[in-house]
Amino acid sequence: MTSRFYVTTPIYYINDVPHLGTAYTTIAADVLTRYHRLRGEEAFFLTGTDEHGLKIERSAQEAKADVRSFAARMSEPFRQTWPQLACQYDYFVRTTDADHEKRVGEIWEKIKAKGDLYLGSYEGWYCVNCEAYYTEKELEPGGVCPIHKKPAERIVEPSYFFRLAAYSDRLLSLYEKNPSFVAPTSRLNEVKSFVRGGLEDLSLSRTTFSWGVPVPGDPKHVMYVWFDALFSYLTPMLVTPERRSFWPANVHLIGKDILRFHAVYWPAFLLSAGMTEKELPKQIFAHGFLTFNGQKMSKTLRNTVKPLELAQAFGVDTIRYYLMRAIAFGQDGDFDVNDLVGRYNADLGNALGNLLNRVLKQVEKQTSGGTMPVGKREELDLALEGELAAAAQSAAEAFDAVQPHRALEAIWQVVAATNQYIDRAAPWAAIKRGDMARAGTILHTAMEVLEAISVMIAPVMPSSADSVRTQLGLPKLTPTGGRDGWPFTRPQRPEGLRLGAAAPLFPRIEPDRQKELLQSLGLSAPEPEPKKEQPAAPPGAPRVTYDDFAKLDLRVGVVVSAERVAGKDKLLSLRVDIGEAEPRPIVAGLALSFRPEELVGVRVVVIANLEPRSFGKNLVSHGMLLATGASEALTLVTAGPAAQAGAKIK
Ligand code: MSP
């Protein structure tokens, strides 16, 4: 049987609208689904809405609406928003679905028959916003909920209790035996210490409101909303044998705020309902929280920053790329719109878009409508093939480990390597000397690597992947169940395959456009760079003769690699191809203005005959780049795309 992958998002409360935080989880779930499909697995992606409970009942009352129709109305934006962010869920569950309610009732009876429920009376604290019980100890001074900072409510009422305390040992042994049950590890440690601290039985029903699934045989009670909601991961999967085959879930993606419900209550409920340890979900992955332009996502901010508006301004794939690349999955992170534009221009435009463009332009030139000869691969071509295989392996491992940011990092290493490959292999030079087979081989190799890149970016950027493919003359990707389509080896491109129509992939966002886009989103534009005093040319600088000038060996250089220098904040250690056998080691004070990866592939101007300068142990610079501006706002003097590495500047 083809292996199966089942992923879920939290089932979102409907008193809110889809926002950047919930979009983040949903996009991550979609990325994993698409990735696993490409690997030949059958994948199933479930999301939905959590519609019961006191919080929703009160929201409906505030809106003066009948709660059932309020729920139907408020659920709809979720159903509609996700596909517009290219999130193709396979099933959208609503906790008010009749089938779900019926099945949760049956599960309740099973748990009761097991002897895990008893009728008692609950007296304690409850935060309606969390829909969670708190002990006095857990509340902050003034009886305030630690998450929402609002006073918790005192509840005294009859309640069915779940014998959670009786599950402590089984839970602890589950975490011991299966440490990846909760990820990242820091979260597992939190959960363990919570359970070790002693579990109390859990109040599982309420009588003071009625908006919930009625308790079988005792309809004065409605079930605790989290009991009903957690089972919505399971109930839709029970309806057909095909769906059943997806259970247990491979990963429940959640935010760190709802870890306890998923890592403690949920496995205990499932064990109580008769599941074996093997039938429990394989992993609960808790990601971090997002801030937006450095601000906490308060309810007001959540309502202003609409994911669809962001996607409209910058493109769906850009938003998906940024969320998956800029924020380490599992850590808190900031969604910074200006950083997004920076990454768009650098990673998407300069690195990937430019690579495609350069290769296709050369192919057009070389073939001018005809076919292209392809010869034997040389060392340089095989080295690129090696880079691709290594990146495909690391990217797959990263996606498997729910680390999309690492996967993208690995993929962009091949993008950079392919840009360098084109610089070094210089197909234009082969054309010039009439070696058409060599030029054809280089371009063929580059197109094959681009094809592999189109596959690897597809989980995150499905429409850009298709656009790359169309331009390469390839069909859209259609994952085939049972066939691993991941490019562990370089794809084989048939000779003579025609290119599709060219289209710019990621046109550069210039500062004026950036300002416009930000304003259209109601955001303030980036502060204009403070005008730095530019040191004026010394008055009366002595004239030089042309011969003096000609003493300078100024050349076009292509940055091959760039790294930070430990302990030196301002310095980057570069290797720059200036047309010599080996790239030149150059140490430059660029670190306050550029990220190292931004520089790779940039065509700079180098003074090649400057005396070497030492910057400390083993750190000698054999040249200098030309630049202007203050050290934290430098602009590099660059050469146009036609200039080749090593070309003399005269
Ligand atoms: N209904 C419950 C979940 C039940 S699951 C059986 C719930 N819903 S929620 O609408 O409040 O969604 C919470 C989830 O939204 C978080 O766990 C997280 O996935 C996401 N986020 C909400 N705000 C967020 C950020 N600012 N940043 C990242 N994710 C955030 O809890």
Side-chain angles (χ1 to χ4, degrees):
M1 187 176 77
T2 310
S3 71
R4 275 156 164 61
F5 178 81
Y6 173 34
V7 61
T8 64
T9 70
I11 308 302
Y12 301 116
Y13 285 132
I14 49 167
N15 64 322
D16 213 334
V17 290
H19 55 77
L20 199 60
T22 45
Y24 180 51
T25 330
T26 313
I27 289 171
D30 183 75
V31 166
L32 294 183
T33 306
R34 289 176 188 267
Y35 163 73
H36 283 276
R37 288 214 171 106
L38 279 169
R39 296 298 311 271
E41 291 168 54
E42 297 291 341
F44 197 92
F45 165 14
L46 176 122
T47 187
T49 43
D50 188 352
E51 305 180 14
H52 288 128
L54 187 53
K55 172 156 64 175
I56 306 301
E57 188 178 276
R58 285 189 185 163
S59 299
Q61 280 162 0
E62 274 163 32
K64 301 202 174 11
D66 155 64
V67 63
R68 195 165 283 277
S69 37
F70 175 80
R73 173 157 57 83
M74 299 298 283
S75 166
E76 215 37 42
F78 289 89
R79 189 191 291 276
Q80 287 176 13
T81 296
W82 305 141
Q84 296 180 66
L85 294 170
C87 297
Q88 294 172 343
Y89 51 77
D90 294 289
Y91 192 75
F92 190 95
V93 65
R94 293 182 56 197
T95 54
T96 51
D97 290 338
D99 185 74
H100 167 74
E101 293 189 355
K102 180 178 132 265
R103 288 180 194 273
V104 178
E106 289 162 7
I107 293 165
W108 178 283
E109 307 237 52
K110 265 196 190 167
I111 291 180
K112 189 164 180 211
K114 177 95 178 279
D116 278 344
L117 290 179
Y118 62 92
L119 188 59
S121 165
Y122 180 77
E123 177 163 4
W125 299 100
Y126 193 76
C127 168
V128 180
N129 282 302
C130 300
E131 296 281 17
Y133 301 96
Y134 281 99
T135 62
E136 204 123 335
K137 259 196 343 237
E138 289 169 324
L139 292 176
E140 290 187 352
V144 162
C145 155
I147 294 175
H148 293 92
K149 313 287 177 202
K150 294 209 175 120
E153 296 178 20
R154 187 79 187 159
I155 302 182
V156 184
E157 59 179 311
S159 174
Y160 283 94
F161 281 82
F162 175 69
R163 294 189 194 281
L164 182 65
Y167 283 86
S168 304
D169 290 345
R170 284 186 76 183
L171 288 170
L172 287 170
S173 105
L174 167 72
Y175 309 142
E176 278 317 310
K177 276 192 269 181
N178 182 5
S180 57
F181 180 69
V182 178
T185 314
S186 56
R187 300 281 166 217
L188 174 69
N189 296 337
E190 249 172 56
V191 169
K192 276 189 192 165
S193 61
F194 174 71
V195 176
R196 283 203 196 105
L199 292 177
E200 288 180 13
D201 289 349
L202 182 69
S203 166
L204 213 56
S205 72
R206 304 285 308 269
T207 52
T208 46
F209 66 92
S210 58
W211 183 235
V213 182
V215 165
D218 198 350
K220 285 191 305 305
H221 291 254
V222 290
M223 293 178 194
Y224 175 38
V225 59
W226 270 99
F227 181 80
D228 152 28
L230 285 163
F231 276 100
S232 67
Y233 294 143
L234 175 67
T235 54
M237 307 314 278
L238 299 174
V239 295
T240 61
E242 165 64 10
R243 292 252 192 99
R244 270 175 194 264
S245 68
F246 280 97
W247 190 264
N250 292 71
V251 52
H252 292 306
L253 293 181
I254 59 166
K256 63 180 183 179
D257 52 331
I258 52 176
L259 181 61
R260 186 183 298 180
F261 303 95
H262 285 80
V264 181
Y265 303 169
W266 180 222
F269 290 159
L270 288 171
L271 289 170
S272 173
M275 282 196 184
T276 62
E277 271 185 22
K278 275 212 158 79
E279 291 167 310
L280 295 181
K282 295 200 172 29
Q283 186 168 67
I284 313 293
F285 199 114
H287 63 68
F289 255 47
L290 299 187
T291 47
F292 183 81
N293 284 351
Q295 282 172 273
K296 197 167 168 266
M297 295 263 280
S298 64
K299 186 123 191 206
T300 329
L301 191 58
R302 289 207 297 261
N303 284 317
T304 8
V305 185
K306 300 202 172 72
L308 288 185
E309 286 178 6
L310 283 169
Q312 218 163 13
F314 300 106
V316 171
D317 280 11
T318 309
I319 301 300
R320 290 170 63 106
Y321 175 78
Y322 184 72
L323 283 170
M324 294 297 107
R325 174 81 197 253
I327 298 145
F329 205 74
Q331 314 287 313
D332 291 342
D334 189 38
F335 188 106
D336 179 317
V337 184
N338 293 309
D339 185 44
L340 175 141
V341 174
R343 277 197 178 268
Y344 169 91
N345 282 337
D347 304 356
L348 303 184
N350 286 356
L352 179 58
N354 191 31
L355 172 64
L356 182 71
N357 191 26
R358 298 170 78 188
V359 172
L360 297 189
K361 263 201 185 134
Q362 287 292 328
V363 174
E364 281 295 339
K365 229 184 193 167
Q366 154 87 329
T367 57
S368 49
T371 57
M372 196 166 57
V374 182
K376 202 167 154 331
R377 317 266 169 192
E378 295 182 1
E379 206 175 307
L380 208 54
D381 318 324
L382 298 174
L384 181 64
E385 196 170 322
E387 298 245 19
L388 170 65
Q393 187 63 41
S394 336
E397 282 166 12
F399 277 128
D400 283 332
V402 195
Q403 296 286 277
H405 61 290
R406 291 211 187 291
L408 289 172
E409 237 170 71
I411 298 164
W412 255 258
Q413 270 166 17
V414 201
V415 173
T418 316
N419 264 320
Q420 286 163 29
Y421 165 79
I422 296 292
D423 290 336
R424 291 203 202 149
W428 48 85
I431 296 177
K432 210 165 169 186
R433 61 175 189 268
D435 189 350
M436 293 315 187
R438 180 64 196 139
T441 312
I442 297 165
L443 294 172
H444 225 263
T445 307
M447 283 194 289
E448 288 176 344
V449 176
L450 271 164
E451 176 176 347
I453 291 170
S454 80
V455 177
M456 294 193 288
I457 62 170
V460 177
M461 301 200 292
S463 66
S464 310
D466 278 339
S467 171
V468 171
R469 298 179 67 81
T470 309
Q471 298 191 48
L472 287 168
L474 299 165
K476 293 194 170 170
L477 269 183
T478 42
T480 317
R483 215 200 72 206
D484 190 346
W486 200 249
F488 289 114
T489 53
R490 203 190 60 215
Q492 297 297 310
R493 184 180 170 90
E495 279 184 38
L497 185 63
R498 293 296 181 95
L499 299 182
L505 253 192
F506 304 106
R508 192 174 174 79
I509 302 178
E510 300 293 350
D512 283 352
R513 178 81 185 123
Q514 177 173 354
K515 214 164 152 185
E516 256 174 53
L517 287 170
L518 281 152
Q519 277 166 354
S520 76
L521 292 164
L523 301 167
S524 49
E527 290 292 313
E529 287 279 327
K531 280 243 177 306
K532 294 261 165 31
E533 289 271 318
Q534 296 289 339
R543 281 175 191 267
V544 294
T545 62
Y546 180 79
D547 288 348
D548 287 335
F549 168 71
K551 282 187 197 150
L552 291 178
D553 182 5
L554 287 171
R555 293 197 218 168
V556 174
V558 177
V559 180
V560 173
S561 68
E563 284 171 9
R564 293 191 191 283
V565 177
K568 312 257 184 196
D569 291 353
K570 290 191 179 168
L571 299 184
L572 291 181
S573 165
L574 312 176
R575 283 166 57 248
V576 184
D577 181 358
I578 56 167
E580 297 171 335
E582 288 294 324
R584 274 281 181 108
I586 295 180
V587 181
L590 301 175
L592 300 182
S593 299
F594 300 95
R595 289 196 305 266
E597 62 272 20
E598 269 179 281
L599 292 173
V600 173
V602 175
R603 304 168 166 273
V604 290
V605 173
V606 176
I607 308 183
N609 61 340
L610 211 57
E611 285 290 343
R613 177 175 166 201
S614 169
F615 285 85
K617 218 168 103 207
N618 296 336
L619 203 60
V620 180
S621 185
H622 295 268
M624 192 175 93
L625 310 192
L626 299 191
T628 174
S631 53
E632 63 282 7
L634 284 170
T635 303
L636 282 170
V637 177
T638 54
Q644 288 175 35
K648 184 146 178 60
I649 292 176
K650 43 193 186 197

